[in-house]
Amino acid sequence: MAATEEDNTVREPLDLIRLSLDEKVYVKLKGERELRGKLHAYDQHLNMILGDVEETVTSVEIDEETFEEIIKTNKRMVPYLFVRGDGVILVSPPLRS
């Protein structure tokens, strides 16, 4: 098997993350937080450094009069972000054709 074929092989879960380096990924975190950004680095604990990050925080409030749920989302852009791995629920690599 050629070296380039081995580099593109997914044998372990972290191989999928490795193949997503320098590409835009989606990261879901605890606390209703979502990130979309370019993956610059990661480790075995899923600590990550993301660049050009769009962070979305979703919160649910209850209207005291009608008792209806009010869903609010706040978005912000961050040039670089360190993500601690113990807060990561899901990492989705970019779609490949």
Side-chain angles (χ1 to χ4, degrees), residues 43-62:
D43 66 12
Q44 71 272 16
H45 305 289
L46 282 184
N47 295 321
M48 292 180 266
I49 297 177
L50 300 175
D52 299 322
V53 183
E54 178 186 67
E55 177 186 32
T56 305
V57 180
T58 304
S59 62
V60 178
E61 297 177 2
I62 305 293

Side-chain angles (χ1 to χ4, degrees), residues 4-60:
T4 56
E5 287 181 32
E6 278 186 25
D7 291 343
N8 291 330
T9 303
V10 176
R11 296 181 186 195
E12 299 178 10
L14 288 179
D15 289 343
L16 194 59
I17 307 297
R18 178 181 47 83
L19 293 174
S20 301
L21 277 171
D22 294 323
E23 296 195 38
K24 201 157 184 119
V25 295
Y26 168 79
V27 181
K28 183 162 178 63
L29 301 170
K30 294 177 184 176
E32 300 300 323
R33 293 177 62 203
E34 300 175 0
L35 306 171
R36 284 179 176 78
K38 186 175 180 181
L39 179 64
H40 289 284
Y42 72 97
D43 66 12
Q44 71 272 16
H45 305 289
L46 282 184
N47 295 321
M48 292 180 266
I49 297 177
L50 300 175
D52 299 322
V53 183
E54 178 186 67
E55 177 186 32
T56 305
V57 180
T58 304
S59 62
V60 178

Side-chain angles (χ1 to χ4, degrees), residues 70-89:
I70 301 168
I71 300 172
K72 294 184 178 181
T73 57
N74 292 322
K75 293 188 179 192
R76 71 176 181 147
M77 295 299 295
V78 183
Y80 279 97
L81 190 65
F82 174 85
V83 180
R84 187 171 165 173
D86 66 351
V88 173
I89 295 172

